[in-house]
Structure formats: C-alpha cells, structure tokens
Amino acid sequence: MTILEFQARFGTEEGCREYLFCSRWPEGFLCPACGGRDAGAETRRHLWICTGCGRQTSITAGTVMHKTRLPLRTWFWAAYLVSTFHPGISAKQLQRQLGIGCHETAWAMLHKFRAAMVAPERELLKREVEIDEFFLGGYEEGLKGGRQHGKKTLVGAAIEVRGRGSGRLRLQVLPDSQASTLEAFTKRTTAPGAIVHTDGLFSYSGLPKLGYDHRPRKVASVGADEQLLPRVHRAISNLKAWMHGTHRRVSPEHMSVYLDEFVFRHNRRGTPMAGFQTLLGLGLAHDPLTYREIIDRAA
Ligand SMILES: [Zn+2]
C-alpha cells in the first residue's frame, strides 16, 4: 500500500475504527454473550454495545491499542512506519514523524511492536535449509567518541532454500559453538527430515543421527565463483549492515530483541501489510483484508 492509499484509508479515527471492526467481525457484528447481530457504537471508548443484552465489546481488546489514550491514527501510522520503513525506525524518529509529545510514549509503542514481532516465528523451517553460526557486534560506539571493540555475540542462523532465493529466516543468540548447542539450535528451527547444509564444522556431524539429511560442504569442494552457503551468508551480511546502520549501540543483553526484529522484517519483506497487521495485533485468524473487502463488508 502506498503512503497516499494509507492516508486515504487511515487518515481519520473513523477509518481506523472501521478497519478494526472488520478485522474483528468480518461477517458483521456478533455479540460474544448472546450471539446478537445488532449493536450501537460508543466510539469514544471504541465500544460496541449489543442491542439485545447490553454487553459491551471493545474493538481494541487483544490488540496493542487496548486502553490506549493515543488516537488510533497514531498507532496505525506508527505500525505502518515500523513495518514498511527500511531499514527500521528509532523511537526518536517515530516521535518526530508522528508529533508524539513525549519520548517515553514513542519508546513504549516500539516496545509493544517488538513484542509482537517475536510471537509468529515459531513454525519449523522445512525441506531444505542452510545453517551457520557467526559473530555479531563489536562495533559499539565508545564513550570517548571513537569506535571501541565491544563484546561480540555468537549467533546461529537458519534459512530456507527456495530455488535460487531464500525463504524464512531464524536467528538466535548462542552461548558457544559446541555440538550440543548447534544440535539444539537445529532442532528448534528446522523440521526433522529436512536437507541441512552446513560448513564442515565438526559440531554439526551429529545431525544425521537426529534425522536430518545432513550435507556438509567443505570450502575446498566449492568452485571459486560459488559461495559456501550463499543464502545464509547474504542474510548475515544484510543483518550486519542493518545493525550497523540503525542500532549502533546494541549491547549483547539486548541482541535478541534486534535479531527478532530483523527476522520479522526479513520474513515479511514481500508483504509489508501483513507485518502491519501483526504489529497491531490484528487479523491473526484470517488473511489480511483488502481495502475492497472492507468497503464491501461495511456497505
Ligand atoms: Zn448480546
């Protein structure tokens, strides 16, 4: 969706409310208490009140906007910026772009969005996967101005092979590169039976026993113009550029949060609007609604 389309649809509180209504009740209002289909609206508190039994239902319940004092518009625009703006947006930028009064509010919004980025990434990778581990960080800005060598964090990466391209990505902070750690990472990310490409590191040699079709590749066996594990390395170099560009001062304790954000962006790079819905906490039960569908249903 372009910024103009977004403005046309979500430029008013009414437009945002309509979208929430359609996400919750795609077939029209349905009272959770009595099954009644008629309701009156109390728009200030985002409530729908059943005509039959009087039960109040909030259209923001279960979303990041529940009990918010901010206009819905602000939330919708924040989620739009966070899900479509590359390489990402800081709390300060969000505050400035949306005219949010205090920095803490913008920070809290980003924090809620980041929490929503973790949840949907549980499904195991399938069929054919590249797995590798690498060090990240070590370029934190020092107090004295110049770059200091911060502590590096070991990260495991697993990515699906989709033809010549890549599918879904998983990243995780690892304590070490021992066999038990890398085997646990593989089990947590990749479905048994999958073809797993790794380098020749001995720690991966137990994968066949765990039911994987393990295909380790040695550097010497790869042609000069052919990269070892090209998809995972492309993802790693994108991650490094992103971390370096937007999140210079990530300490090792907070690394996981940023890895989750990167994975979220990577896995939705073709469908930013699906990311938008996930951030707001909407539409998890069905496919994203198109503008047309919402207009048709509201009519
Ligand atoms: Zn009712």
Side-chain angles (χ1 to χ4, degrees):
M1 191 184 290
T2 67
I3 200 155
L4 286 176
E5 288 165 338
F6 194 87
Q7 165 64 23
R9 182 161 164 193
F10 301 122
T12 63
E13 289 297 282
E14 200 190 347
C16 297
R17 217 166 21 236
E18 200 168 278
Y19 186 78
L20 287 181
F21 184 96
C22 292
S23 295
R24 182 157 299 249
W25 296 299
E27 318 295 336
F29 177 81
L30 181 68
C31 174
C34 73
R37 308 222 60 129
D38 294 315
E42 206 275 64
T43 55
R44 201 174 48 82
R45 288 184 296 148
H46 313 305
L47 295 176
W48 260 252
I49 301 161
C50 175
T51 314
C53 74
R55 160 81 169 248
Q56 301 185 340
T57 305
S58 165
I59 41 161
T60 57
T63 75
V64 294
M65 294 156 285
H66 198 42
K67 302 201 163 158
T68 184
R69 286 163 184 278
L70 291 169
L72 297 178
R73 266 186 342 261
T74 306
W75 281 103
F76 274 63
W77 278 96
Y80 180 76
L81 291 175
V82 170
S83 59
T84 60
F85 194 81
H86 293 282
I89 195 160
S90 67
K92 188 169 270 177
Q93 287 171 309
L94 198 62
Q95 184 190 3
R96 212 177 285 147
Q97 291 291 323
L98 296 178
I100 296 169
C102 76
H103 182 74
E104 285 69 22
T105 307
W107 188 88
M109 291 176 94
L110 269 189
H111 191 76
K112 283 194 172 183
F113 289 150
R114 290 209 171 104
M117 289 177 186
V118 196
E121 307 298 340
R122 309 263 182 233
E123 213 185 309
L124 293 174
L125 306 182
K126 290 188 198 113
R127 285 184 282 278
E128 191 171 354
V129 178
E130 292 179 6
I131 294 182
D132 204 0
E133 77 296 325
F134 60 99
F135 282 98
L136 190 62
Y139 43 72
E140 294 167 84
E141 287 193 343
L143 290 173
K144 290 171 195 142
R147 265 189 218 170
Q148 290 184 344
H149 283 286
K151 211 173 143 225
K152 285 183 183 282
T153 309
L154 185 66
V155 176
I159 193 165
E160 283 176 327
V161 174
R162 294 250 176 96
R164 297 180 68 86
S166 321
R168 294 170 301 169
L169 172 69
R170 297 287 184 270
L171 296 170
Q172 192 186 340
V173 173
L174 302 176
D176 53 58
S177 56
Q178 294 186 2
S180 56
T181 305
L182 293 174
E183 286 173 3
F185 174 69
T186 306
K187 282 201 276 187
R188 221 163 16 236
T189 56
T190 307
I195 297 169
V196 176
H197 302 279
T198 68
D199 58 22
L201 188 72
F202 186 73
S203 293
Y204 291 111
S205 60
L207 293 184
K209 270 187 289 173
L210 298 173
Y212 295 101
D213 180 354
H214 184 215
R215 302 193 186 168
R217 300 181 88 186
K218 299 233 164 56
V219 180
S221 71
V222 178
D225 57 345
E226 197 188 352
Q227 234 195 333
L228 194 70
L229 310 172
R231 293 164 194 81
V232 81
H233 287 156
R234 203 177 311 135
I236 292 168
S237 77
N238 288 342
L239 169 67
K240 285 181 173 172
W242 179 74
M243 294 293 280
H244 197 63
T246 59
H247 300 292
R248 267 154 202 267
R249 277 161 299 204
V250 177
S251 54
E253 313 80 281
H254 296 127
M255 191 64 88
S256 293
V257 175
Y258 293 97
L259 295 182
D260 287 340
E261 179 173 347
F262 183 81
V263 166
F264 182 87
R265 291 176 181 288
H266 179 279
N267 292 349
R268 282 164 193 74
R269 60 205 188 282
T271 53
M273 284 311 284
F276 163 81
Q277 291 194 315
T278 306
L279 290 185
L280 289 178
L282 310 171
L284 302 172
H286 50 78
D287 294 334
L289 295 169
T290 65
Y291 186 41
R292 197 67 252 164
E293 282 172 320
I294 286 185
I295 293 299
D296 290 346
R297 281 166 185 182

